[in-house]
Amino acid sequence: MDFLTIIGIVMGFGLLGASIAGGGGFGLFIDVPSMMIVGGGTIAVFLMNFTIPDLKALMPVFLRTFMFKLATPAEEITRVVEYATLARKEGLLALESRLKEVDDVFMAKGIQLVIDGFPSEVVRDIMELEAEWQGQRHAIGKKMMDQLGGYAPAFGMIGTLVGLIQMLAALDDPASIGGGMAVALLTTLYGAMAANMMFLPLSGKLEIRAKEEALLRALMIEGIVAIQSGDGPQLIKEKLKTFLAPSARQSIAA
Amino acid sequence: MDFLTIIGIVMGFGLLGASIAGGGGFGLFIDVPSMMIVGGGTIAVFLMNFTIPDLKALMPVFLRTFMFKLATPAEEITRVVEYATLARKEGLLALESRLKEVDDVFMAKGIQLVIDGFPSEVVRDIMELEAEWQGQRHAIGKKMMDQLGGYAPAFGMIGTLVGLIQMLAALDDPASIGGGMAVALLTTLYGAMAANMMFLPLSGKLEIRAKEEALLRALMIEGIVAIQSGDGPQLIKEKLKTFLAPSARQSIAA
Amino acid sequence: MDFLTIIGIVMGFGLLGASIAGGGGFGLFIDVPSMMIVGGGTIAVFLMNFTIPDLKALMPVFLRTFMFKLATPAEEITRVVEYATLARKEGLLALESRLKEVDDVFMAKGIQLVIDGFPSEVVRDIMELEAEWQGQRHAIGKKMMDQLGGYAPAFGMIGTLVGLIQMLAALDDPASIGGGMAVALLTTLYGAMAANMMFLPLSGKLEIRAKEEALLRALMIEGIVAIQSGDGPQLIKEKLKTFLAPSARQSIAA
Amino acid sequence: MDFLTIIGIVMGFGLLGASIAGGGGFGLFIDVPSMMIVGGGTIAVFLMNFTIPDLKALMPVFLRTFMFKLATPAEEITRVVEYATLARKEGLLALESRLKEVDDVFMAKGIQLVIDGFPSEVVRDIMELEAEWQGQRHAIGKKMMDQLGGYAPAFGMIGTLVGLIQMLAALDDPASIGGGMAVALLTTLYGAMAANMMFLPLSGKLEIRAKEEALLRALMIEGIVAIQSGDGPQLIKEKLKTFLAPSARQSIAA
Amino acid sequence: MDFLTIIGIVMGFGLLGASIAGGGGFGLFIDVPSMMIVGGGTIAVFLMNFTIPDLKALMPVFLRTFMFKLATPAEEITRVVEYATLARKEGLLALESRLKEVDDVFMAKGIQLVIDGFPSEVVRDIMELEAEWQGQRHAIGKKMMDQLGGYAPAFGMIGTLVGLIQMLAALDDPASIGGGMAVALLTTLYGAMAANMMFLPLSGKLEIRAKEEALLRALMIEGIVAIQSGDGPQLIKEKLKTFLAPSARQSIAA
């Protein structure tokens, strides 16, 4: 799983937990009905907003974003150059022997298309369409996180209003004000935490990942089309290096 | 009706209802004047904002969005391929026998145009214009929901201000503060609930539905024009599959 | 005047008035200095923001939007078809006899240009420029309403802050807190009402009217140019019908 | 100076001042440390945000916007037509005699270029570049006002938080609460007033002025190029009139 | 380091510090657990949001923005004209002797490409790509600052909610309310200060710097390509002057 995300989660919740523990214990901050209003309400509205196919499409996006590590552009360039060398020496069909070692489904599909002998524009068209579909799935995932990040604080506020109204209506005993307000404010806290420590950072991460993946896909498309058109490995390497930030270019041996 | 929307509504209002019931009963949360300010005020402003033709156009959009199930793209592809097979064997006029079984008005209109012998560009132009009109109606529907989702909390705040001012002006008896504030806050709660549990999720749903419908309309246009130009059923199927997400493509038998 | 706008205004203020009357009378909600801060401040900032020519241009826009009823597209199509029939039978100059009965200045100008014998592109250019100017005036009107809808709540807040500070500084007599705060909150209420019950709905209405008028102008331009080029009335009717929503097309007799 | 701006300032501050005077005097609303936090903090952040060349470029923009009156488009059209008449009769070089009476630097530069005999495209290119630079300076000025309008309320809130914390920590004497809170709220009031009565209206005014100036520059460019190409004065007048709103066209004698 | 930024920081924190010192001392405003929640929480979420390569790329951007002074466009024009004179007299290879004195890596790379004899379009393509990468790094830096400027107040609010809930739950002793609330509000103050006195002004500065640098890069590209194509120094100077604001053009001797 993504390393920085884990550090961030541990650090964020750790600091908050320490502050809470130091201020009198966790018991005060756990209230199941409050959690049900914020958590359940947010999920309920989320279900109203999206459709089952959207939700199905979301899972692989999340898995890929947080569980599997994307190859770096530098690694992919090395791999493309290696295949280009092989294809030059032994012909495009020789790539078939390497197909099994390719983890990335997108890359594998592109190589398969080349082996199957499709013309260059068809290979490019199919792969670009595939890349666009991946981009759209990321965009939907980001949109979902943004919506959740907006609904969670709203339900936090709704819960606090409910709590306040109940407390105010039963204001016979002034001594109970404090406790009632503390509980009423819990939902606002839950909503703010859910939005700012979960949904919005995940939305940001998905956006960045989508950009990285789009760059990688564009690099792969250029690489595969170049292999197919018989470009020399050295030329291909130079071409693909333009996809790298200048500071990252040294990491590829000349 | 849309399944997830129902689950969402039941779940959202159920959780909130449970929390309210547990906290002292519903009586506290029902106040007719407060409902009149938020509900009536929002509707009043809504009427100021839109026109009668807009409101008329809204009804069929809502019915179609929440009552009728759209065919999935896969179903439509199967249907188009079936018609293409028929048209190839027995000519375009043979499609007339199938026209009655087509529920979708858009699809039926396209087939009728083909049967009537209009040239290909005319069929495409007319159908694209029709699809655009449908898209615009969806956009107006979404805009209305967004406006309602903005005005409802505003009237909630106006109601709370009115209540607060009335309560503060009559602050002779400190014991009545609690009850007065509870009632004053009700309108804010109503506004927040109306916006976040009704108008904004519906706006989100309409947006997603509009995208789905636009995709389906584009697929239908391509399919009908391909049938008219006499393309083979297998070729048409391959063409239309590009409208599907890759993960959905297996669901169509080769 | 626009029917829905009137219903909306009556309903919105009526409901609020009823709720206020039920809660102790209007006297509580009328405070001239508070009105001066919100109303005067908003107008003052509005004057700082715009220029005299802008303000002059605003009046006819408002009059046209709320006082005069636009012809419906269907009515205009009927009229254009009638003129086309006349022009076909008796020549373009015969249109002059009808010029007096045309209320709409835009339409009249277009017909005059045709009678004067200007070439087709010139007629189209002049009328499109005219339509664009009208669109720009609407856009400025909408911008003004949006600005007013932003400044009114801001001055409401400024007024409340002034009132709170005055009240807090004179906090010798705790019994006066309630009344002081009630008056201080009045400006916030005025600002929220001015924005949400006046400026923002008017902005929404202006936007919708601008779209309707733009559609009508485009329809008129096409119609007049078609008359000039001698198209048959039936063909013109079919062409112009594409400007109508499909559901509105039946209203024009074939 | 701009007339409406002055009226707006006088009216806005006058009304607020009257309301303050009526509520107990100005002394209550003047607190130098609070002014230092809001005013100084806003300026401090403004300095962090911009650069010295930006600040230098701002001065002439402000002077031009609020001190000098722009010529109206109608005046400029009259002037251009007059010069065109002269140039037609006595040749382009005759314009030199009029150069001294041209106040507007932009116009003068254009005429000088024509006298110097530069080809038509060069004149147009240079003047359009110049107009674009002016537009950019206006855009920076507007951006600065918007930033100030955002930072001022933020520092108002920071000041109020500082004041509240100080007051709450010293809550021994309940009688002092009122006065402490009154002072704490002053910074919020200052921030809201600075933003809504100064920075945001100025930003709006700058935007409108930028549009007016851009229109005037475009008109001047067309006029000068038309003079250079020897167009007749009547033709030039008709061309330039399209830059005027229809309602303003009568003001130019035929 | 950037002069105005330093003045701004000193002035902003100085004024706030003075106001705090005058109101009872700094001790009240320093609370380590509160700092940990706001500072740590913001950093934690920041880590969740971005990736290690992003963070690595940030450092040089910040160093360049705040530590090194960019050459002014006028200085670069002078330098380009000097090199053009040299190249005209002694040939392009003579530039090699000057290469060592060029601090700016971008400029040096361009000159090296010219010396190496690459064709003109290649030099332009490579340099434009390089400039685009620099622009993207600035954009990521700005985005990071904006995110931090949004998360800091959010964690301020979360901290305040935690503090309020703890205080309210332990409301046995009314005398402790003041102190508890003062501490609870500290996190809101920290968040507002971090956002408005650090992250948002830095974001604004980065944006302005990015624009300046983009202008400078475009000027350098035009200059180097012009040197390569053998343009005369005087012509090059005139060309490059169009990159300067008119008011800055005098500063270059004819």
Side-chain angles (χ1 to χ4, degrees), chain C residues 40-56:
Chain C
T42 304
I43 292 172
V45 164
F46 181 70
L47 293 180
M48 289 172 72
N49 208 331
F50 290 95
T51 63
I52 292 176
D54 288 329
L55 297 180
K56 265 192 210 151

Side-chain angles (χ1 to χ4, degrees), chain B:
Chain B
M1 192 177 170
D2 186 75
F3 190 55
L4 278 179
T5 306
I6 297 177
I7 294 185
I9 292 173
V10 171
M11 186 175 164
F13 283 93
L15 282 167
L16 215 63
S19 132
I20 283 173
F26 285 96
L28 195 54
F29 288 88
I30 292 168
D31 183 59
V32 175
S34 298
M35 283 177 181
M36 267 169 53
I37 289 186
V38 177
T42 304
I43 292 173
V45 165
F46 181 70
L47 292 180
M48 290 172 71
N49 209 331
F50 290 95
T51 63
I52 292 176
D54 288 329
L55 297 179
K56 265 193 209 150
L58 196 67
M59 259 303 122
V61 175
F62 272 91
L63 277 180
R64 248 210 336 261
T65 303
F66 297 104
M67 291 300 146
F68 303 124
K69 233 177 106 77
L70 272 183
T72 67
E75 285 167 17
E76 282 308 323
I77 293 179
T78 309
R79 185 205 298 266
V80 166
V81 169
E82 193 194 319
Y83 290 177
T85 315
L86 182 71
R88 264 238 154 157
K89 278 202 204 123
E90 314 181 15
L92 287 172
L93 293 182
L95 291 172
E96 195 146 28
S97 62
R98 297 303 194 82
L99 207 52
K100 269 165 265 165
E101 76 191 31
V102 182
D103 290 333
D104 189 285
V105 182
F106 184 86
M107 185 76 173
K109 177 159 196 178
I111 295 173
Q112 187 64 56
L113 287 169
V114 167
I115 294 171
D116 291 352
F118 282 92
S120 172
E121 323 81 72
V122 173
V123 173
R124 181 185 286 278
D125 278 3
I126 292 178
M127 293 187 77
E128 282 178 351
L129 191 73
E130 206 81 4
E132 210 195 294
W133 274 107
Q134 291 192 352
Q136 279 184 24
R137 275 200 302 258
H138 269 110
I140 292 180
K142 180 173 155 44
K143 181 151 211 180
M144 285 178 173
M145 289 300 109
D146 286 339
Q147 297 258 29
L148 288 169
Y151 284 130
F155 274 90
M157 199 187 79
I158 288 175
T160 295
L161 284 167
V162 169
L164 276 179
I165 291 170
Q166 289 175 336
M167 186 204 75
L168 288 164
L171 210 62
D172 307 323
D173 173 16
S176 70
I177 295 187
M181 272 213 51
V183 173
L185 285 178
L186 271 183
T187 54
T188 296
L189 177 63
Y190 291 162
M193 284 175 63
N196 289 293
M197 299 178 74
M198 210 161 76
F199 298 132
L200 297 182
L202 287 190
S203 161
K205 190 72 135 205
L206 273 176
E207 188 182 1
I208 285 178
R209 275 292 161 107
K211 269 188 201 161
E212 278 175 28
E213 200 172 305
L215 185 80
L216 206 63
R217 292 321 180 206
L219 185 157
M220 286 175 176
I221 294 172
E222 288 310 316
I224 283 172
V225 168
I227 289 177
Q228 190 179 24
S229 67
D231 286 354
Q234 205 54 37
L235 177 59
I236 292 179
K237 192 196 283 179
E238 288 310 312
K239 252 192 199 167
L240 297 187
K241 268 183 167 176
T242 59
F243 284 94
L244 297 181
S247 59
R249 284 178 203 158
Q250 293 91 304
S251 65
I252 299 184

